[in-house]
């Protein structure tokens, strides 16, 4: 079951409290059109995603470097779960290591974003992220069903 709200629903998975706070602040500029849910690690996120009756997010934003489960392990778990594998997963990481980027795409990440080093740059990234995924979501909802 996916979200039926008119707002884009984003699940942010990041272990760093400061990064979660910055993301919340950045997404506040889109409060009327975006709902953000937060999980602090992969174990918590997978439990959240697998909660019966809870609408799934429209897109998952995932950090790579986390304790308990790395972002790579989280995306692998999402892709191996028939009820979750369709979810778009965007990696948001400080790593620009080509091996990390390649591994993320090998695990079928939808996109890979390197976190901007400054807050104004991060605000711009979030603006672009929101616009892109809103366009995808609402165009997908507007498509006629095939018979």
């Amino acid at each position: 079951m996916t979200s039926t709200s008119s707002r884009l629903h984003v699940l942010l998975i990041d272990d760093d409290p400061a990064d979660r706070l910055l993301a919340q602040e950045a997404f506040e500029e889109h409060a009327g059109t975006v709902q953000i849910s937060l999980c602090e690690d992969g174990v918590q996120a997978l439990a959240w995603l697998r909660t019966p009756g809870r609408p799934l997010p429209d897109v998952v934003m995932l950090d790579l470097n986390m304790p308990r489960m790395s972002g790579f392990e989280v995306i692998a778990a999402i892709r191996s779960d028939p009820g979750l594998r369709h979810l778009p997963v965007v990696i948001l990481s400080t790593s620009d290591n080509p091996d990390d980027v390649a591994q993320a795409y090998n695990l079928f990440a939808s996109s890979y974003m390197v976190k901007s080093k400054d807050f104004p740059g991060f605000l711009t990234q979030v603006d672009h992220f929101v616009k892109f995924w809103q366009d995808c979501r609402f165009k997908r909802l507007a498509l006629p069903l095939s018979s």
Side-chain angles (χ1 to χ4, degrees):
M1 169 174 32
T2 55
S3 172
T4 56
S5 166
S6 62
R7 297 190 318 165
L8 178 73
H9 184 187
V10 177
L11 173 62
L12 174 68
I13 309 167
D14 195 321
D15 65 306
D16 186 310
D19 285 347
R20 285 194 310 271
L21 182 60
L22 287 175
Q24 281 182 286
E25 288 179 23
F27 278 103
E28 276 180 18
E29 294 193 10
H30 302 278
T33 59
V34 177
Q35 172 190 345
I36 187 162
S37 297
L38 303 169
C39 289
E40 61 188 46
D41 64 32
V43 174
Q44 181 187 41
L46 290 170
W48 188 95
L49 286 165
R50 292 173 174 150
T51 300
R54 174 178 281 148
L56 293 173
D58 296 301
V59 62
V60 174
M61 187 176 266
L62 175 63
D63 185 28
L64 286 182
N65 300 309
M66 297 185 295
R68 299 200 324 160
M69 281 185 92
S70 73
F72 295 124
E73 293 169 314
V74 174
I75 193 172
I78 289 171
R79 294 297 178 240
S80 68
D81 186 317
L84 303 176
R85 70 173 45 136
H86 70 282
L87 288 174
V89 178
V90 174
I91 303 300
L92 179 64
S93 178
T94 56
S95 172
D96 61 0
N97 182 320
D99 292 337
D100 287 345
V101 176
Q103 185 174 357
Y105 283 121
N106 285 337
L107 292 167
F108 302 103
S110 303
S111 181
Y112 192 105
M113 294 172 40
V114 178
K115 289 180 191 174
S116 178
K117 295 185 186 332
D118 60 65
F119 191 65
F122 183 62
L123 286 174
T124 300
Q125 284 181 306
V126 168
D127 289 345
H128 289 246
F129 170 89
V130 168
K131 178 163 182 8
F132 177 83
W133 288 103
Q134 282 177 327
D135 286 351
C136 288
R137 179 174 191 260
F138 292 111
K139 284 180 184 170
R140 182 181 72 226
L141 291 175
L143 292 175
L145 296 175
S146 59
S147 31

